[in-house]
């Protein structure tokens, strides 16, 4: 992964001696520097979740969206260079609109993703242009074909998925998705949203905004942002479950390793496991471990 | 057909206005003075057309096939200028074939109808084509779309077209009702064509009928002017349940009349 392509990586029109096009690989690295985006295909729809890292408190909430509407039944979640992603969203919109104008019905998602992937691929052929530095996930729902999910990466390949993740924490996210057995889920089930929260929490110490959108039976085939009340309910559920899981993991590790050596040890362990965001909930977590943390009293909660 | 004469290209006028020695049919455009019909039923469509092509008063072809294949399960019924409709059908066939390969699945009837509409509307000043697009697809089943002169597109459960269709409107209004099955649709179409033939052109015509549905291959046959004895055995077996006339004739006063009319006028 960290091999340097000296001399063979200056343009996309050059192969290296071992058959790689380095510019395309560098473009994929650009995607991996960005925060995570996840798409999951359920029985009756698609859910997208994007973790938007908020770099400044002065940013207006909801600006720089990373989920786009391509057509009324198609949504797109992106990771990577946002400017590149925006121009590709525009390309996808034109494709979908031209198809509708020529053929009179909604574009099938496989066709759309093939067309946009062809476009992305075209930019990997010449030295005059650079490849697009973004990957994106396209999702749609249709009564006849059901839910569909495709992912396109900077090399111009598109694959269909049951669940996929792009960006920083994509490995962790993929692991979580595999645990979920996505084929059996329905859009409204909160397990998905919890998953997004788990993965997003992997990034510590950074404020983030969670963008959620879905398309499916629940929205009558239209791609929309998840309504605020559903999102908040899911977030609450996700946070509770998340801490439960982590604390139970901790508890299990306590049991196997024996009681903690000291209060300090416990505190530091709790901090590492649950993250600083857990601080305010420490009374709850402490309640769970009453027997091992007997000496913990309420005055400690603010210090943790 | 009066409308056709007024839209003649200029070289035609030069010959016609000066020369009475040349018969009118040598300078008229080839046209299909036509009756075409299409009926949808649950699981497919039945389409029918007469078989006459005229240049003026001369019948240039009395065994024309106006039911043109666009794709495996999509056909069109052509009326108007024969050249125009053939050219459009060829173009749409090509576009639809390409589209179907791109998508890697059978095309929708709606797509074919939209392609017809796009050509008919864009070149509406130059063309004279009235087309019925009918077929079967997985999503919406049997469908009939009407693309008349001018390039409108509308979906209808049953549609008629061509200059002979005026004679059939009354018949269709009184005899069509939603929810017919395949046999009833065949009967309706055949009888309608006979009515049109009798009322319109006063001469025997062959009827071409075609059934498009999911499981059967497109079945087509020319219903002969004579009764079931003229029915070729191969087609009889292809049509499940015996020959066309046998399955749809018994009982109904409508088909008895049709039967009678057919036997009067011999080819």
């Amino acid at each position: 992964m960290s091999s340097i392509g000296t001399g063979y990586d200056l343009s996309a029109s050059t192969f290296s001696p071992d058959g790689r096009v380095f510019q395309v690989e560098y473009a994929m690295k650009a995607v991996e520097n960005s925060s995570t985006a996840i798409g999951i295909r359920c029985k009756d729809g698609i859910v997208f979740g994007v973790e938007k890292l908020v770099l400044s408190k002065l940013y207006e909430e909801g600006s720089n969206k990373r989920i786009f509407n391509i057509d009324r039944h198609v949504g797109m979640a992106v990771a990577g260079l946002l400017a590149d992603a925006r121009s590709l969203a525009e390309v996808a919109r034109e494709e979908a609109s031209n198809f509708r104008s020529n053929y009179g019905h909604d574009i099938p998602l496989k066709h759309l993703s093939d067309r946009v992937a062809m476009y992305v691929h075209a930019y990997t052929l010449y030295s005059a242009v650079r490849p697009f530095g973004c990957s994106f996930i396209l999702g749609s729902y249709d009564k006849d074909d059901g839910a569909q999910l495709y992912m396109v990466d900077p090399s111009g390949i598109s694959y269909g998925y049951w669940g996929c993740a792009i960006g920083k924490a994509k490995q962790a996210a993929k692991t979580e998705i595999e645990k979920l057995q996505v084929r059996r889920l329905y859009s409204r089930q909160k397990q998905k949203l919890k998953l997004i929260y788990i993965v997003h929490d992997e990034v510590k110490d950074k404020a983030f905004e969670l963008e959620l959108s879905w398309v499916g039976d629940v929205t009558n085939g239209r791609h929309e942002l998840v309504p605020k009340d559903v999102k908040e309910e899911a977030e609450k559920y996700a946070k509770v479950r998340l801490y439960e899981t982590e604390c139970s993991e901790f508890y299990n590790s306590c049991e196997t390793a024996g009681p903690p050596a000291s209060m300090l040890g416990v505190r530091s362990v709790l901090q590492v496991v649950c993250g600083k965001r857990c601080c305010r909930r420490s009374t709850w977590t402490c309640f769970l471990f009453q027997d091992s943390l007997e000496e913990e009293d309420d005055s400690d909660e603010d210090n943790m | 057909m009066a409308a056709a004469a007024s839209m003649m290209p200029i070289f035609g006028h030069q010959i016609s206005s000066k020369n009475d020695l040349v018969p009118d049919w040598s300078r008229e455009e080839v046209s299909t003075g036509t009756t075409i019909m299409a009926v949808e039923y649950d699981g497919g469509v039945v389409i029918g057309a007469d078989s006459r092509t005229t240049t003026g008063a001369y019948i240039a072809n009395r065994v024309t096939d106006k039911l043109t294949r666009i794709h495996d399960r999509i056909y069109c019924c052509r009326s108007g200028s024969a050249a125009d409709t053939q050219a459009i059908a060829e173009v749409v066939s090509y576009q639809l074939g390409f589209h179907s390969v791109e998508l890697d699945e059978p095309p929708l009837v709606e797509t074919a109808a939209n392609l017809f509409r796009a050509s008919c509307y864009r070149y509406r000043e130059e063309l004279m084509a009235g087309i019925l697009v009918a077929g079967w697809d997985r999503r919406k089943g049997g469908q009939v779309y009407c693309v008349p002169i001018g390039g409108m597109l509308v979906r209808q459960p049953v549609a008629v077209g061509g200059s002979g269709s005026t004679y059939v409107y009354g018949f269709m209004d009184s005899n069509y009702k939603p929810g017919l099955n395949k046999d009833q649709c065949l009967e309706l179409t055949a009888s309608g064509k006979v009515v049109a033939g009798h009322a319109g052109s006063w001469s025997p015509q062959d009827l071409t009928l075609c059934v498009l549905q999911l499981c059967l291959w497109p079945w087509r046959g020319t219903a002969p002017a004579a009764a079931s004895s003229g029915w070729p055995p191969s087609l009889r077996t292809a049509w499940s349940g015996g020959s066309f006339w046998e399955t749809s004739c018994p009982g109904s006063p409508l088909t008895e009349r049709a039967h009678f009319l057919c036997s009067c006028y011999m080819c």
Side-chain angles (χ1 to χ4, degrees):
Chain A
M1 199 59 202
S2 48
S3 67
I4 302 173
T6 326
Y8 300 108
D9 61 347
L10 295 175
S11 87
S13 66
T14 314
F15 276 101
S16 75
D18 51 343
R20 298 154 70 175
V21 182
F22 280 104
Q23 278 296 307
V24 173
E25 296 188 15
Y26 296 162
M28 298 206 236
K29 279 190 198 157
V31 175
E32 277 165 36
N33 287 338
S34 120
S35 55
T36 323
I38 292 175
I40 297 181
R41 172 181 166 185
C42 325
K43 268 193 194 169
D44 65 338
I46 305 280
V47 180
F48 285 126
V50 179
E51 167 203 19
K52 248 180 5 190
L53 293 178
V54 175
L55 297 171
S56 157
K57 290 202 176 66
L58 296 174
Y59 280 163
E60 191 187 340
E61 202 182 290
S63 65
N64 279 355
K65 285 204 175 316
R66 287 179 45 193
I67 298 184
F68 300 97
N69 232 332
I70 300 304
D71 199 351
R72 54 182 184 216
H73 66 302
V74 179
M76 169 165 149
V78 306
L81 302 179
L82 193 50
D84 285 8
R86 284 210 186 111
S87 84
L88 281 175
E90 205 45 47
V91 165
R93 282 168 182 157
E94 266 179 51
E95 283 290 339
S97 166
N98 282 340
F99 186 96
R100 187 193 292 283
S101 155
N102 287 335
Y103 302 113
H105 63 92
D106 293 348
I107 187 168
L109 191 68
K110 179 168 199 310
H111 191 233
L112 175 64
S113 83
D114 281 345
R115 300 282 300 183
V116 185
M118 264 200 291
Y119 187 90
V120 170
H121 169 251
Y123 281 71
T124 65
L125 297 170
Y126 311 107
S127 59
V129 293
R130 64 161 175 82
F132 284 96
C134 63
S135 289
F136 50 94
I137 313 175
L138 290 164
S140 87
Y141 178 79
D142 174 66
K143 263 201 307 292
D144 300 301
D145 299 324
Q148 314 248 331
L149 192 70
Y150 284 87
M151 197 261 279
V152 179
D153 67 7
S155 65
I157 287 192
S158 85
Y159 284 114
Y161 284 90
W162 289 99
C164 70
I166 46 181
K168 242 183 259 216
K170 80 173 182 206
Q171 280 306 112
K174 279 191 182 151
T175 320
E176 292 295 331
I177 291 174
E178 277 162 26
K179 286 192 212 161
L180 260 190
Q181 290 190 313
V182 279
R183 289 178 211 219
R184 301 200 326 214
L185 288 180
Y186 288 93
S187 296
R188 277 194 163 268
Q189 280 177 310
K190 301 188 189 64
Q191 278 89 322
K192 267 177 314 304
L193 296 154
K194 165 199 161 203
L195 170 159
I196 289 169
Y197 238 88
I198 290 175
V199 173
H200 290 167
D201 275 355
E202 306 290 314
V203 179
K204 310 240 181 288
D205 301 351
K206 287 204 185 121
F208 75 97
E209 209 181 298
L210 179 62
E211 231 179 288
L212 280 179
S213 79
W214 57 5
V215 56
D217 232 0
V218 294
T219 61
N220 278 327
R222 285 184 187 277
H223 175 249
E224 298 169 347
L225 290 178
V226 170
K228 210 153 179 259
D229 52 344
V230 176
K231 184 172 163 190
E232 274 164 17
E233 191 194 330
E235 280 185 347
K236 253 191 305 189
Y237 170 90
K239 284 180 181 158
V240 165
R241 288 281 165 274
L242 173 66
Y243 298 132
E244 266 185 6
T245 326
E246 291 183 339
C247 291
S248 69
E249 280 168 9
F250 167 70
Y251 190 57
N252 290 338
S253 69
C254 272
E255 288 206 319
T256 50
S262 67
M263 279 307 106
L264 205 57
V266 170
R267 227 178 284 164
S268 58
V269 168
L270 266 178
Q271 242 173 7
V272 167
V273 167
C274 300
K276 288 205 183 117
R277 242 172 271 115
C278 183
C279 294
R280 264 169 255 110
R281 287 161 186 80
S282 58
T283 40
W284 180 85
T285 51
C286 290
F287 176 74
L288 270 186
F289 304 122
Q290 207 67 50
D291 43 353
S292 38
L293 300 169
E294 291 165 45
E295 289 164 82
E296 197 75 35
D297 62 351
D298 284 353
S299 64
D300 269 355
E301 70 183 75
D302 291 338
N303 297 340
M304 288 186 85
Chain B
M1 293 297 107
S6 63
M7 287 160 63
M8 279 289 98
I10 303 201
F11 60 82
H13 280 307
Q14 282 173 349
I15 300 176
S16 65
S17 56
K18 296 197 168 109
N19 208 337
D20 284 331
L21 298 173
V22 180
D24 70 329
W25 49 259
S26 67
R27 43 180 203 256
E28 290 286 328
E29 189 177 335
V30 174
S31 179
T32 50
T34 305
T35 317
I36 49 176
M37 304 181 36
V39 190
E40 106 190 12
Y41 65 92
D42 180 35
V45 293
V46 174
I47 55 179
D50 72 314
S51 58
R52 172 176 294 183
T53 308
T54 53
T55 48
Y58 174 66
I59 299 174
N61 185 353
R62 65 180 173 94
V63 284
T64 325
D65 185 3
K66 299 180 189 176
L67 306 180
T68 308
R69 177 192 177 275
I70 303 298
H71 205 263
D72 289 344
R73 293 278 183 274
I74 304 176
Y75 272 61
C76 75
C77 313
R78 302 181 291 109
S79 73
S81 153
D84 289 351
T85 53
Q86 281 178 1
I88 298 171
E90 216 173 291
V91 163
V92 172
S93 241
Y94 163 77
Q95 290 174 332
L96 199 67
F98 190 84
H99 175 72
S100 164
V101 169
E102 262 190 323
L103 249 48
D104 199 20
E105 56 181 49
L108 302 179
V109 186
E110 193 180 0
T111 310
N114 269 287
L115 289 172
F116 269 107
R117 189 257 312 142
S119 294
C120 290
Y121 181 73
R122 182 181 287 266
Y123 298 107
R124 54 183 292 163
E125 308 301 332
E126 288 92 356
L127 294 174
M128 191 172 72
I131 292 173
L132 299 181
V133 185
W136 180 93
D137 67 37
R138 181 179 68 92
R139 270 197 206 183
K140 296 187 189 167
Q143 298 151 72
V144 172
Y145 292 86
C146 191
V147 184
I149 293 176
M152 176 184 82
L153 172 63
V154 68
R155 182 182 171 189
Q156 298 173 218
V158 58
V160 295
S163 51
S165 64
T166 48
Y167 305 111
V168 192
Y169 279 119
F171 171 82
M172 293 307 282
D173 278 347
S174 48
N175 292 99
Y176 172 76
K177 48 190 188 305
L180 296 175
N181 66 23
K182 175 169 60 179
D183 288 339
Q184 291 169 319
C185 286
L186 272 169
E187 193 180 303
L188 184 73
T189 314
S191 313
K193 307 314 280 45
V194 172
V195 166
H198 172 62
S201 2
W202 296 7
S203 57
Q205 294 187 43
D206 282 332
L207 310 175
T208 339
L209 294 172
C210 185
V211 179
L212 289 164
Q213 56 180 98
L214 168 59
C215 42
L216 287 185
W217 284 105
W219 172 89
R220 50 191 319 162
T222 310
S228 56
S229 55
W231 203 244
S234 55
L235 284 169
R236 229 180 262 156
T237 46
W239 177 243
S240 64
S243 77
F244 167 67
W245 295 112
E246 277 170 19
T247 52
S248 60
C249 269
S252 135
L254 197 64
T255 44
E256 275 167 18
R257 176 169 173 270
H259 193 113
F260 166 78
L261 283 168
C262 269
S263 59
C264 277
Y265 299 113
M266 300 301 292
C267 266

